[in-house]
Each structure stands twice: as structure tokens, then as C-alpha cells.
Amino acid sequence: MPSTAHRVETYDTTLRDGAQQVGLQFTVADKLRVTRLLDDLGVDVVEGGWPGSNPKDAEYFARARDLPWRHATLSAFGATRRPGRGVDDDPNLRALLDSGAPIVALVGKAWTLHVTEALRTSLEENLAMVAESVAHVAAAGRRVAFDAEHFFDGYAADSAYALAAAEAAAAAGADTVVLCDTNGGSLPTAVARVVREVAAALPAGIRVGVHFHDDSACAVANSLVAVEAGASHVQGAANGYGERCGNADLFAIVAGLELKQGLKLLPQDRLAALTATAHAIAELANLPPDHRQPYVGGAAFATKAGLHASAIARRADAYSHVDPARVGNQARVLVSELAGRSNVLAKAGELGLDLVTDPELGTRVLDRVKELEHEGYAFEVADASFDLLVRREAGALRSPFDLEGYRVVVERRVEDGDGTDLSEATVRLRVDGERVLAVGEGVGPVHALDQALRRALADRHPELEAVRLVDYKVRILDGRAGTRAVTRVLVTSADGEDEWTTVGVSDDIVTASWEALADGVLYGLLRVRQPAVVP
Ligand SMILES: [Zn+2]
């Protein structure tokens, strides 16, 4: 049993390094939502991005300050000063300080090859860049973590120089030196030795951190052996997102250290939120959750029914390496995202809907969720759709409007080689018993439908003016040749106070979009009318 005095800090880099993954694109709103999920889970540090690199990250930092932080501390990432220049006029260092982040991760070179070939400067100048940049940020009252890039390759080539870079950062005021396996090729045996040597060489009180990529399929293993060898700061990304083969999967690291090494990384009882958090982030990333992902995947504790079924029921612990409930997952025969009575009851409880005292309603909701998930719905992120589903099943939803029908015309006009898109939608509703017809125009059919729906409701519900559509995500499910492809649409709406997400599923993208749009508007109206029941 490792010593518990060895408190390990969890540092999430989903929003910076993880976002380098091909096909992953977070909007600022997505980044803020991921931040809240990670903060709720209870990681220690959330690295929000690189404020000096693009205006999107700068905007994120400006808005992240106002989030209701509960556990985590925000970190900003950026490079040391440029060769031959001062720290005072360095725009990147300025952006880091302007971000307001209490922690700054400064990345610098630790491999001689990179100093002379990539940076094209002298070995001495690189050490000065590290020391002066760290001192500059520390003098501004920020906590500094020094990310020693390519550390393991650099240590293999010239251990004295790699160590000199780490020591320069520590001496200048960095309280954490992060050994980065930037190319991801290191193997656990070498990692354990290097971490042990560096931890012994650095002054007492300096945290040794690690950051691994999965190019040798060892990122999680390397993280675990590094902690055993003395690292007390471990970096990773949600679901192992990241460029090439990905970053170390922070969730597998946390589960491994908590369940197998007896360490405490998350606040009390938060490990059970791991699976829901992983799936919610996958939805925001618009990437299909990996069913085979350790601990949190839909198939991580799934066994094909048959021969073993009765034995599994008798002794579940004989067929799985940990109790799936510890990480919020479950043993299952049929793979489903939310299925399971306890999950549904807990989700309803989160929304202030009590299904515990009405077991019959609970059963109906559970059956409905299973049925809908089978059709392609996903409720991890679509809280508002789940809320509406429970109210519908309870017979407690009187919708302020009913759809009679809609029609959309999609038009593309080409003049002198330039094309413009204009769609027109006609929506027919029944509002408080009366028939209402409205026309809307927009760029594309979904925008036009949204406009028409709002116009149809504008007279009776002026409060809708405050409700905006802030995000729209489409995913094609199961599009293999020969099978029926289904479209899932997630719509996020906001009213300046809060935001909520709804889901629609259909063979047809417009039908799926309408369903998500209409539920988003309906939920917005219910919020205004019954604010007490919505969190
Ligand atoms: Zn990296």
C-alpha cells in the first residue's frame, strides 16, 4: 500500500492538448461546459487552453472566471519567451498573465536536439529562457508548472542537460516540473527509472509531474508507474483525447490509482461520476463514446449472455476486475447508455424530479428510456429532453403548443458563380386551442424552422425572445453500408441565465432537428412558467 502522504494532483488537459485530436472542435461554450463537468467530477486543475495562440482561447479565459468553480483551479498554457528577447515585451507571456488563470503551465525545451535544431539557439540561452520566463510569471503571483517538453527523449540523449532545464525552472520559482513524453514512445521500465532519478535530483518540495502520449499504447501504464516512482502530479485528457494516438486517459489513471493503488484523487464519492462525465464529454466533443474504453465504456463490463449468465448473476466479482458501480458503470448484457434503474432515478433526482416514491412511474420512465436509446437517443447531455420525458410519462406536461405540420423549401441561388442559400419554412401549430400559421426564413432549413416556430409563438409568449439557439450538433449513427442510418441532433438553447440541451432522432435530419428545436423551445417556456422545478 503506497503512502497516503503522497497526495497526487490531477491535471486535465482535455481543452488544450486533448483538443488537438483530429475531428475534435470545441466551441467556447463547449469548453465552458467541459470545464464544469471536470470541476464537478473533482479534478484538481483544468487547463483551459493557450490564451496567446487564438482569440477563442482568450475569450474562454475571460468567461471561465465567472463559472461557479467548486473544486478545480484554472490553468493557462503557453511557451517560454522567445530566444534573444526580453520577458517584458513577450506577447505570449503577457497573454498568459492577462488570462487571469491562477496556474500557468510554461512549456520549454529539455532536449538538446530541439534547442539547437527547432529553436536554433544556444543551450545556455534556452536555460535563460526557462529561468527568466518562470521567474516573470511567478513574480506576478501565479503558480508555475514547468512542462519540460520531450523530457524522456532529452534525458536519454543528455541527462545532465535535461536535468539542468528542470533545475533552472525549479530554482526560478516553478513548484512543479512536468516530465513530458511529447513523442509518446517511452516504455514503463525506463519511465520508472527516470522519474525516480529526477525526483531524487530536484530540491525537496518540488513536485514531479508527468504527461504522456499513447504512441506506444503505454500512456496510462507510464502514468501509473511514474506515480509509484514518486510523481505527484499527473496530466491526462478525458477519454484519452489528443493528437496522433491520444494523450493518457485521465479517467483510467484516476480509476487505477484510486481502486488499485489505494490513493485518493477525487473528492469523496465522485469516482462514481466517472462514467457519466466521460459520456457527457464525448457528446460535447461530438465523438462517439468508445464502447471498449476501460472503466467507463459501454462494453467495459458487458458480457455476452449465455453460458456465463447465471454464474455472473451469482458471483459478479468473479467476472470483472472491479465493481463497475465504483466508477458509475454497470455490468450489462445489453449495452445501453443510461439504462439501469439507479441511473435513471439518480438523473431524475438531479433534475428535482422524484421517481423514488413512485416506483411504477420509475419503471415506465426506465422502459421508455431504454426504448428511445435503442432508437438512437442519448440523454447524458440532453437533460432537458430527459426532464420532458419524465413529465410526459407522469402525465404532468401540458404543452403550450402542438404541431399540426410544417413545410420547408430549400433554395440555392447562383449568380455570377456565387451561391447563396435561403430556406423558407411554414409551421402550423395549435396554440391554446387556436390554429396559428407562421412563415420563417433562414440560412438552411433548420434556421428557417426555428424562425417560423418563434414567430408562431411570439404573440402569446413574448418571453421566448430571450431564448436563443446557441449550439447545434448532428451525428449520423450506424451509417454502415446496407443498414439504415439514423440522425441524432443535439440543440442547446440559452436564456441568459442558464442553458439546456435537447435531443431529436430520425431517419430525416430535418425531422430530428425539429424535434430537438421544439423541445428546446418547450423547455424554455416551462422554465419561465415553473421555475421552481427546474434547477
Ligand atoms: Zn502533450
Side-chain angles (χ1 to χ4, degrees):
M1 192 76 157
S3 144
T4 44
H6 188 64
R7 167 83 175 89
V8 176
E9 180 174 66
T10 51
Y11 185 105
D12 180 277
T13 184
T14 307
L15 299 174
R16 200 269 308 170
D17 220 6
Q20 300 296 314
Q21 171 153 327
V22 174
L24 204 171
Q25 199 132 45
F26 286 128
T27 61
V28 173
D30 288 336
K31 293 185 74 160
L32 293 166
R33 275 178 252 153
V34 170
T35 305
R36 289 195 69 169
L37 287 164
L38 292 166
D39 182 44
D40 281 348
L41 178 66
V43 304
D44 294 311
V45 185
V46 173
E47 187 175 72
W50 189 336
S53 72
N54 63 73
K56 192 166 95 176
D57 279 8
E59 185 194 339
Y60 164 85
F61 281 98
R63 291 172 63 182
R65 271 175 250 166
D66 300 330
L67 289 179
W69 293 87
R70 298 194 337 190
H71 183 88
T73 306
L74 182 63
S75 173
F77 175 92
T80 52
R81 71 157 170 83
R82 289 172 298 185
R85 306 284 285 269
V87 287
D88 289 320
D89 59 350
D90 189 287
N92 174 55
L93 291 175
R94 168 131 310 282
L96 283 170
L97 295 180
D98 287 348
S99 76
I103 302 176
V104 169
L106 278 176
V107 62
K109 303 289 187 197
W111 186 2
T112 50
L113 178 74
H114 268 260
V115 176
T116 54
E117 295 303 315
L119 219 49
R120 294 182 171 273
T121 191
S122 71
L123 298 179
E124 299 72 42
E125 169 64 358
N126 178 55
L127 295 181
M129 287 161 60
V130 170
E132 287 168 28
S133 306
V134 169
H136 181 70
V137 175
R142 310 303 168 81
R143 182 186 153 196
V144 183
F146 175 63
D147 278 6
E149 205 182 31
H150 298 288
F151 187 87
F152 292 92
D153 298 314
Y155 195 86
D158 184 341
S159 60
Y161 187 79
L163 208 50
E167 283 165 344
D175 73 355
T176 305
V177 173
V178 186
L179 317 181
C180 300
D181 186 26
T182 312
N183 289 351
S186 297
L187 299 182
T189 312
V191 164
R193 178 179 56 79
V194 172
V195 169
R196 216 171 279 122
E197 288 174 11
V198 173
L202 288 177
I206 299 294
R207 264 180 196 278
V208 174
V210 285
H211 172 112
F212 291 102
H213 283 261
D214 205 29
D215 300 72
S216 306
C218 288
V220 171
N222 284 339
S223 306
L224 298 178
V225 299
V227 168
E228 210 169 1
S232 58
H233 166 114
V234 62
Q235 302 197 350
N239 303 326
Y241 294 149
E243 61 184 335
R244 304 191 312 274
C245 310
N247 279 70
D249 176 0
L250 188 64
F251 298 152
I253 295 171
V254 166
L257 290 175
E258 287 221 354
L259 295 176
K260 307 194 175 203
Q261 301 283 66
L263 299 180
K264 202 76 202 101
L265 285 87
L266 301 178
Q268 194 61 34
D269 298 330
R270 291 312 287 157
L271 189 62
L274 206 62
T275 299
T277 306
H279 290 201
I281 293 176
E283 282 300 331
L284 292 170
N286 208 14
L287 294 169
D290 177 4
H291 282 297
R292 294 173 66 233
Q293 190 174 337
Y295 297 100
V296 302
F301 300 97
T303 347
K304 280 197 176 174
L307 208 57
H308 299 310
S310 62
I312 294 169
R314 214 162 49 244
R315 281 307 299 263
D317 58 342
Y319 293 88
S320 60
H321 69 119
V322 295
D323 175 1
R326 303 280 306 273
V327 291
N329 208 339
Q330 54 197 316
R332 42 173 79 110
V333 176
L334 188 101
V335 178
S336 163
E337 306 288 344
L338 188 71
R341 192 177 191 88
S342 56
N343 279 4
V344 167
L345 295 184
K347 182 101 183 164
E350 272 171 35
L351 296 168
L353 305 165
D354 183 14
L355 294 181
V356 181
T357 54
D358 188 347
E360 200 252 330
L361 175 61
T363 303
R364 282 211 309 277
V365 168
L366 180 60
D367 288 348
R368 188 76 186 124
V369 166
K370 281 184 172 166
E371 199 180 308
L372 289 171
E373 284 186 339
H374 184 68
E375 286 172 30
Y377 286 80
F379 293 101
E380 270 86 8
V381 171
D383 277 3
S385 287
F386 182 76
D387 181 294
L388 293 174
L389 182 155
V390 174
R391 290 177 201 283
R392 281 182 181 121
E393 285 302 320
L397 186 71
R398 216 185 65 77
S399 179
F401 63 91
D402 293 300
L403 177 70
E404 284 198 344
Y406 58 73
R407 192 176 54 167
V408 192
V409 180
V410 182
E411 189 184 353
R412 182 165 178 82
R413 283 183 206 154
V414 183
E415 271 170 47
D416 302 328
D418 285 333
T420 45
D421 293 314
L422 185 74
S423 293
E424 188 185 284
T426 310
V427 169
R428 296 189 309 281
L429 301 181
R430 198 157 273 282
V431 186
D432 300 330
E434 248 178 77
R435 197 154 181 263
V436 179
L437 184 140
V439 178
E441 281 184 339
V443 184
V446 178
H447 186 211
L449 274 172
D450 183 51
Q451 295 299 312
L453 174 61
R454 286 159 183 285
R455 204 160 286 170
L457 295 169
D459 282 352
R460 284 184 180 76
H461 298 286
E463 68 272 25
L464 259 188
E465 212 168 307
V467 176
R468 302 177 330 278
L469 197 165
V470 293
D471 196 20
Y472 174 76
K473 281 192 169 71
V474 178
R475 170 138 8 120
I476 310 296
L477 306 171
D478 200 21
R480 282 166 292 172
T483 64
R484 194 179 65 121
V486 167
T487 303
R488 176 160 82 215
V489 169
L490 288 174
V491 162
T492 302
S493 311
D495 65 359
E497 258 175 51
D498 209 347
E499 59 176 48
W500 58 93
T501 302
T502 46
V503 58
V505 169
S506 170
D507 296 1
D508 183 286
I509 186 170
V510 176
T511 308
S513 303
W514 167 267
E515 187 184 1
L517 273 179
D519 271 3
V521 166
L522 172 59
Y523 188 80
L525 291 175
L526 293 177
R527 269 175 59 78
V528 178
R529 288 180 172 191
Q530 326 168 327
V533 292
V534 179

